[in-house]
Amino acid sequence: MHSDASESQPKIRFDVLTLFPGIFSGFLAESILRRVQDQGLIQVALHNFRQHAALPHRACDDTPYGGGGGMVLKPEPVFAAVEELLAPGPGPAPSQETPVILLTPQGRLFTQQIAVELSELSRMVLICGRYEGVDERIRQALVTDEISIGDYVLGGGEVAAMVIIEAVCRQVPGVLGFPLGHLQDSHAPHMDGLLEGPHYTRPAEYRGMGIPEVLVSGHHAKVQQWRREQSLLRTARRRPDLLSKANLGESDRKFLQRQGFALAP
């Protein structure tokens, strides 16, 4: 039901090109992703580009010129699928800003900032690579952006597409129950490049472990200060590399120095 056009215009539409649409079944049918699709906030349309491959076998891959191991995705079915998607006709009209994104370990590294940027679009096309890679002519003449979710190699781009869909969706107004929740996530611009600090919930004591008294003090300013300090500490301990790029104020720097962390000038 998630690959049909929605009657109402979604805030953002993801067109996903994949040889294995079944991989997305559980991901799209559960939790927040299921709810926001039912509400019409987002739309995820799955397209098996094997349908655009030539009969009788509908082969989408072939051996590479020049030899070598692995198989390479052929250009014809991918070109045909994307061109059909972006052609004028029924459904959401593509614009000049509709990116065609290839999920590949050779792409730019996906970050929270890129998720924020993509959430400002109304539509995007995600191409899930497979096998050894894609024919280079797909990159040259069809793809407008290449994204990697990390410096490692997967069997295909489907998992990467799921990561991008979920990260982008969190930025769409109305998706999260707490409207400002995405602003307090680790790596969010509102967090100044820091990691999010610790959280606690009921019970107040569990197996001899309590919670910080400041969280039940009712003093909003002190709670905010504690959270900022905990965010600074967690970042310094777990990801010190982020501090050099973080937006730190003078009070932040003095706090970290009192805790024994040396900061670059």
Side-chain angles (χ1 to χ4, degrees), residues 1-7 25 28-30 33-35 37-39 42-46:
M1 69 178 173
H2 301 304
S3 51
D4 295 331
S6 173
E7 294 181 1
S25 298
L28 295 175
E30 302 288 345
L33 270 297
R34 171 62 180 267
R35 174 176 58 79
Q37 287 176 98
D38 291 343
Q39 292 174 342
I42 71 162
Q43 183 180 8
V44 182
L46 304 175

Side-chain angles (χ1 to χ4, degrees), residues 5 10 15 19-20 95 105 112 115 126 131 149 181 211 213 257 263:
D15 285 292
L19 289 175
F20 304 99
S95 68
Q112 187 78 359
L126 302 176
Y131 312 121
I149 61 169
I211 64 172
E213 292 185 7
Q257 289 169 352
L263 299 176

Side-chain angles (χ1 to χ4, degrees), residues 112 170-186 188-191 196 199 220 224 227:
Q112 187 78 359
R170 290 181 60 84
Q171 313 304 314
V172 176
V175 167
L176 299 180
F178 178 45
L180 302 180
H182 65 288
L183 299 179
Q184 301 174 1
D185 287 339
S186 296
H190 186 75
M191 290 291 293
E196 192 174 3
H199 295 284
H220 182 71
Q224 291 301 104
R227 285 178 172 163

